[in-house]
Amino acid sequence: MNGADFELVGIGNALMDVFTALQGNTTDLPLNDAPSTSGRHIGPDQLTELVRQLPNPILCAGGGAANTVKLAAQLGIRTAFIGSVGQDEWGEHFKWELESTGAAPLLVYTNRPTGGCVILKKSGEVPKIVASPSAALELGPEHIQENIVRQARLIMLDGYILGRTALVDHILQLAERYGTFIAIDAGSEQMVQAHAERLEAYCRTKPLILFLNEAEARAFCSYLDPRLNLLSDADLDEEERYRPLQNLTRQDIFPIIAVKLGEKGGRVYAKGETYIAPTQAIVPFDTTGAGDAFAAGFIAAWLRDRSLADCAELGNQLAREIIRIPGTRIETKQLARYRRSLALPL
């Protein structure tokens, strides 16, 4: 598959996600005091020792951009992923899983171990997350092929690489040179807080689709309009809370800002308008990757020229499929009806 074949190219951290359900006394596990949700970085050796002691771990190729391109490929979109892995078993598994979904692995191989993220689930408790990016951090500007950016319709950036300024600036410069659209999933509330000024600049100057979850959207709105920090949730309805996003989109066709609201569905802001996409709430098995699935559905529909309301609806539908399973490794046949729907002419 050559560069001309790609509609969507994801660029970001290549991580193996490791899921396990913990039962009973787990005090003998290393890093059992790991923080919840916000995560914690550990060394590769610590990660290896932790995984060795986990009961029945489930492996899934992960990282936000990789999750999105895998699922978009299963919806019939021609995709590729650029990331850095080690020359090890996890690196080969990562490559195999991309290929099994139909996504092209444009991987960089380094001497460091493939990065990983462990999600520790225990009944009645918030999952604990620990990560060791390792080889994923080796991806640099020199690894981004100009012809790939030139020929792709959309480049999807993992928000967790926003701090690597040289890499991101190089990608955005190439995208601007060739008129390639950009999508960014913010990644976390902390990433938004750290890079809000740059995200605003991208919104005002790039052909950008920005994906935010509820916490990220609130943080970005508080940056755009600091007066919101003086008000409590009781003082604001949802429309007022997110009005800074609506205002930010009034200037032109872009940016498009999609807010992922979990069981409440999603809100999309574009050209100063608001599109609300409710969803059906279900009890999730695991919410890891749900936001990436929403982005995959949204982008796939957008690349097939669907309306923004339809984009958000497909995002919701795909997210509902993913929260039923650990990670984003789903059988393509389970997504067949969505793939057929996208293949239909408008």
PDB file of all heavy atoms in Angstrom, residues 13-16 40-48 90 112-118 129-137:
ATOM      1  N   ASN A  13       1.823   7.996  19.978  1.00  0.00           N
ATOM      2  CA  ASN A  13       2.505   7.013  20.811  1.00  0.00           C
ATOM      3  C   ASN A  13       1.996   5.605  20.502  1.00  0.00           C
ATOM      4  O   ASN A  13       0.789   5.362  20.540  1.00  0.00           O
ATOM      5  CB  ASN A  13       2.285   7.321  22.291  1.00  0.00           C
ATOM      6  CG  ASN A  13       3.043   8.549  22.745  1.00  0.00           C
ATOM      7  OD1 ASN A  13       4.063   8.910  22.163  1.00  0.00           O
ATOM      8  ND2 ASN A  13       2.546   9.215  23.776  1.00  0.00           N
ATOM      9  N   ALA A  14       2.927   4.723  20.208  1.00  0.00           N
ATOM     10  CA  ALA A  14       2.599   3.312  19.996  1.00  0.00           C
ATOM     11  C   ALA A  14       2.776   2.582  21.319  1.00  0.00           C
ATOM     12  O   ALA A  14       3.893   2.426  21.800  1.00  0.00           O
ATOM     13  CB  ALA A  14       3.511   2.707  18.932  1.00  0.00           C
ATOM     14  N   LEU A  15       1.669   2.152  21.910  1.00  0.00           N
ATOM     15  CA  LEU A  15       1.701   1.503  23.224  1.00  0.00           C
ATOM     16  C   LEU A  15       0.931   0.197  23.185  1.00  0.00           C
ATOM     17  O   LEU A  15      -0.109   0.101  22.525  1.00  0.00           O
ATOM     18  CB  LEU A  15       1.061   2.417  24.285  1.00  0.00           C
ATOM     19  CG  LEU A  15       1.661   3.813  24.478  1.00  0.00           C
ATOM     20  CD1 LEU A  15       0.796   4.611  25.431  1.00  0.00           C
ATOM     21  CD2 LEU A  15       3.088   3.716  24.995  1.00  0.00           C
ATOM     22  N   MET A  16       1.419  -0.790  23.912  1.00  0.00           N
ATOM     23  CA  MET A  16       0.621  -1.988  24.142  1.00  0.00           C
ATOM     24  C   MET A  16      -0.207  -1.762  25.402  1.00  0.00           C
ATOM     25  O   MET A  16       0.348  -1.527  26.482  1.00  0.00           O
ATOM     26  CB  MET A  16       1.514  -3.218  24.317  1.00  0.00           C
ATOM     27  CG  MET A  16       2.103  -3.734  23.019  1.00  0.00           C
ATOM     28  SD  MET A  16       0.879  -4.164  21.750  1.00  0.00           S
ATOM     29  CE  MET A  16      -0.060  -5.409  22.623  1.00  0.00           C
ATOM     30  N   ARG A  40       0.447   7.264  35.757  1.00  0.00           N
ATOM     31  CA  ARG A  40       1.780   7.487  36.307  1.00  0.00           C
ATOM     32  C   ARG A  40       2.774   6.812  35.382  1.00  0.00           C
ATOM     33  O   ARG A  40       2.526   5.711  34.880  1.00  0.00           O
ATOM     34  CB  ARG A  40       1.838   6.884  37.710  1.00  0.00           C
ATOM     35  CG  ARG A  40       3.237   6.777  38.306  1.00  0.00           C
ATOM     36  CD  ARG A  40       3.159   6.093  39.659  1.00  0.00           C
ATOM     37  NE  ARG A  40       4.461   5.671  40.125  1.00  0.00           N
ATOM     38  CZ  ARG A  40       4.645   4.859  41.158  1.00  0.00           C
ATOM     39  NH1 ARG A  40       3.610   4.390  41.816  1.00  0.00           N
ATOM     40  NH2 ARG A  40       5.862   4.513  41.543  1.00  0.00           N
ATOM     41  N   HIS A  41       3.897   7.454  35.121  1.00  0.00           N
ATOM     42  CA  HIS A  41       4.927   6.881  34.278  1.00  0.00           C
ATOM     43  C   HIS A  41       5.905   6.084  35.132  1.00  0.00           C
ATOM     44  O   HIS A  41       6.311   6.532  36.211  1.00  0.00           O
ATOM     45  CB  HIS A  41       5.668   7.974  33.511  1.00  0.00           C
ATOM     46  CG  HIS A  41       4.915   8.466  32.317  1.00  0.00           C
ATOM     47  ND1 HIS A  41       5.472   9.272  31.355  1.00  0.00           N
ATOM     48  CD2 HIS A  41       3.638   8.256  31.922  1.00  0.00           C
ATOM     49  CE1 HIS A  41       4.580   9.539  30.432  1.00  0.00           C
ATOM     50  NE2 HIS A  41       3.462   8.934  30.757  1.00  0.00           N
ATOM     51  N   ILE A  42       6.272   4.915  34.629  1.00  0.00           N
ATOM     52  CA  ILE A  42       7.234   4.063  35.309  1.00  0.00           C
ATOM     53  C   ILE A  42       8.286   3.619  34.298  1.00  0.00           C
ATOM     54  O   ILE A  42       8.142   3.844  33.086  1.00  0.00           O
ATOM     55  CB  ILE A  42       6.544   2.823  35.936  1.00  0.00           C
ATOM     56  CG1 ILE A  42       5.861   1.978  34.844  1.00  0.00           C
ATOM     57  CG2 ILE A  42       5.543   3.245  36.999  1.00  0.00           C
ATOM     58  CD1 ILE A  42       5.235   0.697  35.353  1.00  0.00           C
ATOM     59  N   GLY A  43       9.350   2.992  34.784  1.00  0.00           N
ATOM     60  CA  GLY A  43      10.406   2.518  33.902  1.00  0.00           C
ATOM     61  C   GLY A  43      10.031   1.218  33.211  1.00  0.00           C
ATOM     62  O   GLY A  43       9.157   0.476  33.675  1.00  0.00           O
ATOM     63  N   PRO A  44      10.686   0.900  32.094  1.00  0.00           N
ATOM     64  CA  PRO A  44      10.399  -0.337  31.371  1.00  0.00           C
ATOM     65  C   PRO A  44      10.563  -1.592  32.224  1.00  0.00           C
ATOM     66  O   PRO A  44       9.762  -2.530  32.118  1.00  0.00           O
ATOM     67  CB  PRO A  44      11.397  -0.317  30.216  1.00  0.00           C
ATOM     68  CG  PRO A  44      11.741   1.120  30.027  1.00  0.00           C
ATOM     69  CD  PRO A  44      11.686   1.727  31.400  1.00  0.00           C
ATOM     70  N   ASP A  45      11.578  -1.636  33.077  1.00  0.00           N
ATOM     71  CA  ASP A  45      11.793  -2.813  33.918  1.00  0.00           C
ATOM     72  C   ASP A  45      10.652  -2.978  34.927  1.00  0.00           C
ATOM     73  O   ASP A  45      10.213  -4.101  35.201  1.00  0.00           O
ATOM     74  CB  ASP A  45      13.128  -2.713  34.655  1.00  0.00           C
ATOM     75  CG  ASP A  45      14.318  -2.823  33.716  1.00  0.00           C
ATOM     76  OD1 ASP A  45      14.132  -3.311  32.590  1.00  0.00           O
ATOM     77  OD2 ASP A  45      15.425  -2.400  34.108  1.00  0.00           O
ATOM     78  N   GLN A  46      10.187  -1.851  35.483  1.00  0.00           N
ATOM     79  CA  GLN A  46       9.055  -1.913  36.405  1.00  0.00           C
ATOM     80  C   GLN A  46       7.809  -2.411  35.692  1.00  0.00           C
ATOM     81  O   GLN A  46       7.027  -3.196  36.246  1.00  0.00           O
ATOM     82  CB  GLN A  46       8.790  -0.529  37.006  1.00  0.00           C
ATOM     83  CG  GLN A  46       9.836  -0.042  37.991  1.00  0.00           C
ATOM     84  CD  GLN A  46       9.538   1.373  38.443  1.00  0.00           C
ATOM     85  OE1 GLN A  46       9.640   2.317  37.666  1.00  0.00           O
ATOM     86  NE2 GLN A  46       9.141   1.524  39.693  1.00  0.00           N
ATOM     87  N   LEU A  47       7.609  -1.940  34.470  1.00  0.00           N
ATOM     88  CA  LEU A  47       6.437  -2.377  33.707  1.00  0.00           C
ATOM     89  C   LEU A  47       6.500  -3.877  33.440  1.00  0.00           C
ATOM     90  O   LEU A  47       5.503  -4.595  33.595  1.00  0.00           O
ATOM     91  CB  LEU A  47       6.356  -1.613  32.389  1.00  0.00           C
ATOM     92  CG  LEU A  47       5.116  -1.931  31.548  1.00  0.00           C
ATOM     93  CD1 LEU A  47       3.886  -1.278  32.151  1.00  0.00           C
ATOM     94  CD2 LEU A  47       5.310  -1.469  30.105  1.00  0.00           C
ATOM     95  N   THR A  48       7.671  -4.357  33.048  1.00  0.00           N
ATOM     96  CA  THR A  48       7.840  -5.785  32.773  1.00  0.00           C
ATOM     97  C   THR A  48       7.518  -6.620  34.011  1.00  0.00           C
ATOM     98  O   THR A  48       6.826  -7.645  33.930  1.00  0.00           O
ATOM     99  CB  THR A  48       9.278  -6.068  32.304  1.00  0.00           C
ATOM    100  OG1 THR A  48       9.525  -5.361  31.087  1.00  0.00           O
ATOM    101  CG2 THR A  48       9.484  -7.553  32.074  1.00  0.00           C
ATOM    102  N   TRP A  90       6.345  -7.378  21.760  1.00  0.00           N
ATOM    103  CA  TRP A  90       5.251  -6.406  21.770  1.00  0.00           C
ATOM    104  C   TRP A  90       5.220  -5.584  20.474  1.00  0.00           C
ATOM    105  O   TRP A  90       4.155  -5.273  19.957  1.00  0.00           O
ATOM    106  CB  TRP A  90       5.378  -5.489  22.987  1.00  0.00           C
ATOM    107  CG  TRP A  90       4.770  -6.075  24.229  1.00  0.00           C
ATOM    108  CD1 TRP A  90       4.371  -7.368  24.417  1.00  0.00           C
ATOM    109  CD2 TRP A  90       4.506  -5.385  25.451  1.00  0.00           C
ATOM    110  NE1 TRP A  90       3.873  -7.525  25.689  1.00  0.00           N
ATOM    111  CE2 TRP A  90       3.944  -6.325  26.339  1.00  0.00           C
ATOM    112  CE3 TRP A  90       4.705  -4.080  25.877  1.00  0.00           C
ATOM    113  CZ2 TRP A  90       3.563  -5.992  27.637  1.00  0.00           C
ATOM    114  CZ3 TRP A  90       4.330  -3.735  27.174  1.00  0.00           C
ATOM    115  CH2 TRP A  90       3.763  -4.684  28.047  1.00  0.00           C
ATOM    116  N   ARG A 112      14.967   0.568  22.176  1.00  0.00           N
ATOM    117  CA  ARG A 112      14.266   0.603  23.460  1.00  0.00           C
ATOM    118  C   ARG A 112      13.063  -0.327  23.399  1.00  0.00           C
ATOM    119  O   ARG A 112      12.526  -0.608  22.316  1.00  0.00           O
ATOM    120  CB  ARG A 112      13.808   2.036  23.769  1.00  0.00           C
ATOM    121  CG  ARG A 112      14.960   3.004  23.914  1.00  0.00           C
ATOM    122  CD  ARG A 112      14.482   4.419  24.203  1.00  0.00           C
ATOM    123  NE  ARG A 112      13.860   4.523  25.510  1.00  0.00           N
ATOM    124  CZ  ARG A 112      13.356   5.644  26.005  1.00  0.00           C
ATOM    125  NH1 ARG A 112      13.377   6.762  25.279  1.00  0.00           N
ATOM    126  NH2 ARG A 112      12.816   5.674  27.202  1.00  0.00           N
ATOM    127  N   PRO A 113      12.589  -0.816  24.541  1.00  0.00           N
ATOM    128  CA  PRO A 113      11.422  -1.707  24.538  1.00  0.00           C
ATOM    129  C   PRO A 113      10.173  -0.975  24.077  1.00  0.00           C
ATOM    130  O   PRO A 113      10.024   0.236  24.279  1.00  0.00           O
ATOM    131  CB  PRO A 113      11.290  -2.125  26.010  1.00  0.00           C
ATOM    132  CG  PRO A 113      12.595  -1.784  26.649  1.00  0.00           C
ATOM    133  CD  PRO A 113      13.153  -0.629  25.895  1.00  0.00           C
ATOM    134  N   THR A 114       9.255  -1.710  23.467  1.00  0.00           N
ATOM    135  CA  THR A 114       7.967  -1.148  23.092  1.00  0.00           C
ATOM    136  C   THR A 114       7.242  -0.622  24.331  1.00  0.00           C
ATOM    137  O   THR A 114       7.240  -1.272  25.381  1.00  0.00           O
ATOM    138  CB  THR A 114       7.099  -2.218  22.405  1.00  0.00           C
ATOM    139  OG1 THR A 114       7.783  -2.672  21.225  1.00  0.00           O
ATOM    140  CG2 THR A 114       5.741  -1.659  22.018  1.00  0.00           C
ATOM    141  N   GLY A 115       6.656   0.555  24.220  1.00  0.00           N
ATOM    142  CA  GLY A 115       5.957   1.157  25.349  1.00  0.00           C
ATOM    143  C   GLY A 115       4.689   0.409  25.701  1.00  0.00           C
ATOM    144  O   GLY A 115       4.116  -0.317  24.884  1.00  0.00           O
ATOM    145  N   GLY A 116       4.269   0.591  26.946  1.00  0.00           N
ATOM    146  CA  GLY A 116       3.063  -0.100  27.404  1.00  0.00           C
ATOM    147  C   GLY A 116       2.273   0.732  28.385  1.00  0.00           C
ATOM    148  O   GLY A 116       2.783   1.668  29.000  1.00  0.00           O
ATOM    149  N   CYS A 117       1.004   0.377  28.512  1.00  0.00           N
ATOM    150  CA  CYS A 117       0.106   1.034  29.466  1.00  0.00           C
ATOM    151  C   CYS A 117      -0.720  -0.050  30.138  1.00  0.00           C
ATOM    152  O   CYS A 117      -1.382  -0.841  29.457  1.00  0.00           O
ATOM    153  CB  CYS A 117      -0.800   2.026  28.743  1.00  0.00           C
ATOM    154  SG  CYS A 117      -1.956   2.909  29.814  1.00  0.00           S
ATOM    155  N   VAL A 118      -0.651  -0.134  31.458  1.00  0.00           N
ATOM    156  CA  VAL A 118      -1.368  -1.163  32.210  1.00  0.00           C
ATOM    157  C   VAL A 118      -2.597  -0.549  32.858  1.00  0.00           C
ATOM    158  O   VAL A 118      -2.512   0.483  33.534  1.00  0.00           O
ATOM    159  CB  VAL A 118      -0.463  -1.797  33.280  1.00  0.00           C
ATOM    160  CG1 VAL A 118      -1.253  -2.781  34.146  1.00  0.00           C
ATOM    161  CG2 VAL A 118       0.720  -2.504  32.622  1.00  0.00           C
ATOM    162  N   ILE A 129      -4.025   3.231  36.428  1.00  0.00           N
ATOM    163  CA  ILE A 129      -3.328   3.235  35.148  1.00  0.00           C
ATOM    164  C   ILE A 129      -1.860   3.584  35.361  1.00  0.00           C
ATOM    165  O   ILE A 129      -1.545   4.588  36.005  1.00  0.00           O
ATOM    166  CB  ILE A 129      -3.971   4.244  34.174  1.00  0.00           C
ATOM    167  CG1 ILE A 129      -5.441   3.890  33.934  1.00  0.00           C
ATOM    168  CG2 ILE A 129      -3.208   4.273  32.858  1.00  0.00           C
ATOM    169  CD1 ILE A 129      -6.193   4.924  33.129  1.00  0.00           C
ATOM    170  N   VAL A 130      -0.980   2.744  34.847  1.00  0.00           N
ATOM    171  CA  VAL A 130       0.448   3.048  34.855  1.00  0.00           C
ATOM    172  C   VAL A 130       0.991   2.830  33.445  1.00  0.00           C
ATOM    173  O   VAL A 130       0.539   1.940  32.726  1.00  0.00           O
ATOM    174  CB  VAL A 130       1.224   2.171  35.864  1.00  0.00           C
ATOM    175  CG1 VAL A 130       0.874   2.551  37.288  1.00  0.00           C
ATOM    176  CG2 VAL A 130       0.969   0.695  35.632  1.00  0.00           C
ATOM    177  N   ALA A 131       1.928   3.671  33.046  1.00  0.00           N
ATOM    178  CA  ALA A 131       2.422   3.604  31.670  1.00  0.00           C
ATOM    179  C   ALA A 131       3.935   3.761  31.626  1.00  0.00           C
ATOM    180  O   ALA A 131       4.540   4.424  32.475  1.00  0.00           O
ATOM    181  CB  ALA A 131       1.776   4.693  30.819  1.00  0.00           C
ATOM    182  N   SER A 132       4.528   3.143  30.616  1.00  0.00           N
ATOM    183  CA  SER A 132       5.946   3.304  30.326  1.00  0.00           C
ATOM    184  C   SER A 132       6.072   3.549  28.823  1.00  0.00           C
ATOM    185  O   SER A 132       6.085   2.601  28.034  1.00  0.00           O
ATOM    186  CB  SER A 132       6.727   2.049  30.723  1.00  0.00           C
ATOM    187  OG  SER A 132       8.100   2.198  30.395  1.00  0.00           O
ATOM    188  N   PRO A 133       6.136   4.811  28.383  1.00  0.00           N
ATOM    189  CA  PRO A 133       6.148   5.107  26.942  1.00  0.00           C
ATOM    190  C   PRO A 133       7.354   4.524  26.215  1.00  0.00           C
ATOM    191  O   PRO A 133       7.242   4.083  25.069  1.00  0.00           O
ATOM    192  CB  PRO A 133       6.152   6.640  26.896  1.00  0.00           C
ATOM    193  CG  PRO A 133       5.644   7.070  28.222  1.00  0.00           C
ATOM    194  CD  PRO A 133       6.086   6.035  29.206  1.00  0.00           C
ATOM    195  N   SER A 134       8.519   4.557  26.850  1.00  0.00           N
ATOM    196  CA  SER A 134       9.734   3.925  26.328  1.00  0.00           C
ATOM    197  C   SER A 134       9.951   4.242  24.844  1.00  0.00           C
ATOM    198  O   SER A 134      10.132   5.393  24.471  1.00  0.00           O
ATOM    199  CB  SER A 134       9.680   2.416  26.576  1.00  0.00           C
ATOM    200  OG  SER A 134      10.941   1.828  26.373  1.00  0.00           O
ATOM    201  N   ALA A 135       9.906   3.221  23.972  1.00  0.00           N
ATOM    202  CA  ALA A 135      10.223   3.410  22.554  1.00  0.00           C
ATOM    203  C   ALA A 135       9.316   4.423  21.874  1.00  0.00           C
ATOM    204  O   ALA A 135       9.712   5.058  20.886  1.00  0.00           O
ATOM    205  CB  ALA A 135      10.140   2.074  21.819  1.00  0.00           C
ATOM    206  N   ALA A 136       8.101   4.592  22.371  1.00  0.00           N
ATOM    207  CA  ALA A 136       7.160   5.527  21.751  1.00  0.00           C
ATOM    208  C   ALA A 136       7.728   6.937  21.686  1.00  0.00           C
ATOM    209  O   ALA A 136       7.403   7.714  20.774  1.00  0.00           O
ATOM    210  CB  ALA A 136       5.833   5.532  22.514  1.00  0.00           C
ATOM    211  N   LEU A 137       8.589   7.280  22.645  1.00  0.00           N
ATOM    212  CA  LEU A 137       9.141   8.628  22.712  1.00  0.00           C
ATOM    213  C   LEU A 137      10.253   8.866  21.700  1.00  0.00           C
ATOM    214  O   LEU A 137      10.731   9.995  21.556  1.00  0.00           O
ATOM    215  CB  LEU A 137       9.667   8.897  24.127  1.00  0.00           C
ATOM    216  CG  LEU A 137       8.640   8.778  25.257  1.00  0.00           C
ATOM    217  CD1 LEU A 137       9.295   9.031  26.601  1.00  0.00           C
ATOM    218  CD2 LEU A 137       7.470   9.735  25.039  1.00  0.00           C
TER     219      LEU A 137
END
